[in-house]
Amino acid sequence: MTHPITPPPELVQEWVAATESNDCIGAFPTNFEQRICTAAAQWGADQELEACCEWMFSVGHPPPAISILRAARRPQPPSLKKEALLQLDTLNADLAMHGMGCDLSQIRRAIEELPDD
């Protein structure tokens, strides 16, 4: 008997194939298992989120409330621009800590001019 949230065998085979194609076997003993477990956990969480959203809709919650739930449970990764600004802040702090501060304001202004996507 399978649990109702067990991924279909075809999907598991896709995960195995994708993991094997990344040539991770042998690099680190648990890397293969880690990737498969991560994919399975993400799939299960997605199934649970969809079930919650369907339930919310069925009991009369408005679509915006469901969108808020989805956004909260599946946040988007930071944009490349935001990551670059965070890295620049880290670099600036590291340089200052070692007494090698320099003016990074032009780099910051250039990054800030980039689109947010």
Side-chain angles (χ1 to χ4, degrees):
M1 181 174 137
T2 61
H3 188 276
I5 206 164
T6 302
E10 301 82 23
L11 187 55
V12 174
Q13 288 304 314
E14 284 180 36
W15 296 336
V16 170
T19 301
E20 288 174 344
S21 70
N22 286 332
D23 197 28
C24 65
I25 298 175
F28 187 69
T30 60
N31 202 15
F32 179 81
E33 291 86 357
Q34 180 71 36
R35 289 180 185 216
I36 297 297
C37 290
T38 298
Q42 289 171 342
W43 182 85
D46 289 344
Q47 299 302 305
E48 180 67 17
L49 177 59
E50 285 309 308
C52 290
C53 291
E54 288 175 17
W55 176 82
M56 287 179 69
F57 184 75
S58 74
V59 296
H61 287 279
I66 297 169
S67 295
I68 291 169
L69 173 65
R70 269 202 179 90
R73 299 304 299 158
R74 296 294 177 275
Q76 297 299 311
S79 69
L80 184 57
K81 176 181 174 178
K82 187 168 190 157
E83 286 188 33
L85 288 169
L86 289 171
Q87 289 293 322
L88 188 63
D89 289 341
T90 301
L91 174 64
N92 196 32
D94 287 348
L95 289 171
M97 189 181 340
H98 295 289
M100 302 184 306
C102 64
D103 185 12
L104 300 174
S105 61
Q106 286 184 317
I107 296 171
R108 174 171 292 286
R109 282 195 303 275
I111 294 171
E112 288 172 346
E113 290 294 319
L114 296 172
D116 286 324
D117 50 359

